[in-house]
Amino acid sequence: PAAKPKTATPTQKAVTKPAAKPVAKPKPAVSEGGLPAVLVAALEAEPVVVVALFDGGATIDPMARDEAAAGARLAGAGFVALDVIRNQKAAEALMVELDAVLRAPAVLVFARPGEVMVQLDGFRDRDAVAQAALNAYR
């Protein structure tokens, strides 16, 4: 019987690992001034910012957050949603800064440089939030 010709084995390519991405340091929850960092960033972008404090696990709070967002859009203001359970450090920073106990749901309207103009406790519809934000522009 005739011997089978040997087939050339394909050369193996060197396996290279993709370069590791540098690990980003988590952003601090609270700025140097004591306000939540997300609020400070929003105030840099917009002169008036609506902050909705809510508990994502509660029944009515997500709806209150959505109404606050809609009110901010109507007024042309910035918007920050702050889940007081998931973002406890930021929520605590607000309480310390305002020297007040805050309960969710609530809406706070801030104007530059970080002054709280209006505090609305409980559920508020979009029209009430929009009016509060518009008043903060004055």
Side-chain angles (χ1 to χ4, degrees):
K4 284 187 172 180
K6 290 186 177 181
T7 57
T9 58
T11 57
Q12 292 182 341
K13 293 183 180 179
V15 178
T16 58
K17 293 182 181 178
K21 293 182 181 178
V23 178
K25 288 176 29 179
K27 293 182 180 179
V30 180
S31 72
E32 291 179 16
L35 288 175
V38 66
L39 173 58
V40 171
L43 283 167
E44 289 173 356
E46 299 289 340
V48 174
V49 175
V50 172
V51 177
L53 300 175
F54 72 102
D55 174 357
T59 304
I60 195 79
D61 288 24
M63 188 167 56
R65 177 202 57 215
D66 294 346
E67 283 294 303
R73 277 192 306 274
L74 285 173
F79 178 73
V80 171
L82 189 61
D83 187 328
V84 297
I85 302 302
R86 288 188 175 159
N87 301 315
Q88 286 182 350
K89 286 185 180 182
E92 288 171 6
L94 270 179
M95 287 192 294
V96 168
E97 186 68 22
L98 300 175
D99 194 27
V101 174
L102 302 172
R103 296 190 178 135
V107 174
L108 303 169
V109 180
F110 283 84
R112 283 184 190 151
E115 181 181 354
V116 67
M117 305 300 288
V118 179
Q119 178 178 338
L120 304 170
D121 294 325
F123 179 88
R124 302 295 175 174
D125 68 14
R126 67 188 66 201
D127 294 328
V129 174
Q131 186 60 57
L134 289 171
N135 289 345
Y137 278 105
R138 295 181 189 166

